[in-house]
Amino acid sequence: MSHWPEHLQSQTTHARRGGIRHTFTHEVDFVLIDPESRDGPALFARNGAGLYSVQDRHHGGAPGEGRGVAWAQEVLADRGLTGARILLLTQPAFLGRVFNPVSFWLAFRGDDLVAVISEVTNTFGDRHSYLSAHGGFTPIQPQDVLEAEKLMHVSPFQEIRGGYRFQFRITPDRIAIRIGHENGPEGVIATLTGLRRPMTNTTLLAAAMRRPAGTARTWVLIHWHALRLKLKGALYRPRPDAPTEEVS
C-alpha cells in the first residue's frame, strides 16, 4: 500500500558553540513521501511541474543526476538490508527551484525505523550521504545516538574535523531529528521538528503564502547567517575538495 504524502510545517534550529556563538530558529516546509508512489494533491507533482514537487533527479546521487529510491535501495542492499519500506523526508522544490541542505531516506521494517541515509548537500554543489544503522539493522530508538565521521565541507566557518551524532524520533504524529557536529569545544547542534499531517492543496497554498519562495528562502537565509558570522569574526575556510566516496 502506498503512503499518501505528508506535509510537515517544521522548525529548524541551529546553535553554534565555542568562542563565537550563533543561534537561530526558522520555519521550514518538509514533505514525507513514498518515493515509489505518484499519489498526492493537484498542487504537488512527482517528476513534473507543480507548485511544489519532488524530482528523482534531485535525490539519490549527485545533485541533478540522482536516481531516486533505486539508489537508496542499492546503498542499503550493499550493506545487507533488502525489502525495507523506504520513505523520503525532504524539502520540496517550489516552482521547480530547489536547494536541500539535508534530506533523509528513512528505512523501515514494519513500523520500526532500522536505517537512515542523511543526504547532505552544501552550497557549493557537493554531496555526501551518511548511513546510520545498528549492526543487524535492529530498530533505531529515539534515545540511540549513531555516530559518523564528518567527511564533507558544509559550513565555511567549520572545519572538516570531528564527527556527527545523529538521533531520530519518528512517531506516527511527529518527527524530531537532532544532528550534533562534535569538534572539541567547537561545533554545531541542528534540529528538525515537525508534526505529520496529510498533504492537501490547502496546506500547500498556506505554506506558499506564509513562506514564499520555498527553498530559495533557505538559500538566502544560509547566506544571511554566514554574513552575520563573518561580522562576528568567524574565520572563513575555503572549500576543500569534495570526498571521493558517495556514502559513509
Side-chain angles (χ1 to χ4, degrees):
M1 180 181 296
S2 64
H3 174 95
W4 184 265
E6 298 177 23
H7 174 214
L8 287 77
Q9 181 180 313
S10 311
Q11 279 195 334
T12 182
T13 296
H14 287 235
R16 176 189 168 111
R17 302 175 302 167
I20 298 177
R21 296 177 177 269
H22 186 70
T23 301
F24 62 83
T25 298
H26 292 297
E27 289 189 346
V28 61
D29 292 285
F30 270 74
V31 297
L32 181 66
I33 68 166
D34 176 347
E36 297 187 281
S37 171
R38 296 297 179 266
D39 290 339
L43 294 179
F44 177 73
R46 285 285 285 117
N47 296 320
L51 180 66
Y52 288 95
S53 65
V54 174
Q55 314 288 336
D56 285 344
R57 69 178 184 273
H58 294 151
H59 301 282
E65 302 174 6
R67 296 189 293 113
V69 69
W71 173 89
Q73 291 168 336
E74 289 178 12
V75 168
L76 294 172
D78 286 345
R79 290 155 177 81
L81 178 63
T82 59
R85 178 173 62 98
I86 299 176
L87 300 180
L88 175 61
L89 179 65
T90 187
Q91 293 186 63
F94 180 77
L95 296 177
R97 298 289 299 261
V98 68
F99 171 67
N100 277 298
V102 60
S103 299
F104 303 93
W105 297 96
L106 308 175
F108 296 85
R109 279 177 172 161
D111 294 330
D112 293 326
L113 180 70
V114 296
V116 180
I117 304 172
S118 302
E119 188 177 80
V120 180
T121 308
N122 64 24
T123 56
F124 304 98
D126 304 321
R127 174 172 288 171
H128 184 76
S129 295
Y130 298 89
L131 174 62
S132 300
H134 294 305
F137 293 101
T138 56
I140 298 172
Q141 304 295 339
Q143 69 272 17
D144 294 344
V145 177
L146 298 106
E147 300 185 351
E149 181 185 0
K150 181 178 179 179
L151 296 179
M152 190 180 76
H153 184 68
V154 178
S155 167
F157 302 103
Q158 290 285 330
E159 296 178 282
I160 308 179
R161 291 175 53 187
Y164 289 121
R165 292 167 59 87
F166 295 91
Q167 286 182 271
F168 303 96
R169 179 185 292 272
I170 312 295
T171 66
D173 60 350
R174 184 177 179 83
I175 286 178
I177 298 173
R178 184 184 189 275
I179 305 174
H181 172 215
E182 306 290 339
N183 183 21
E186 303 286 334
V188 175
I189 296 172
T191 63
L192 174 70
T193 59
L195 296 176
R196 299 173 60 174
R197 57 180 178 172
M199 182 192 298
T200 66
N201 290 324
T202 300
T203 65
L204 295 178
L205 284 172
M209 294 176 64
R210 185 166 181 170
R211 289 169 295 282
T215 59
R217 173 176 171 270
T218 301
W219 179 276
V220 170
L221 287 170
I222 286 172
H223 288 84
W224 165 243
H225 289 291
L227 175 61
R228 292 179 63 189
L229 278 168
K230 183 66 176 176
L231 293 175
K232 287 182 177 182
L235 176 64
Y236 182 92
R237 296 172 173 84
R239 169 184 171 268
D241 291 336
T244 55
E245 57 184 315
E246 190 172 47
V247 182
S248 62

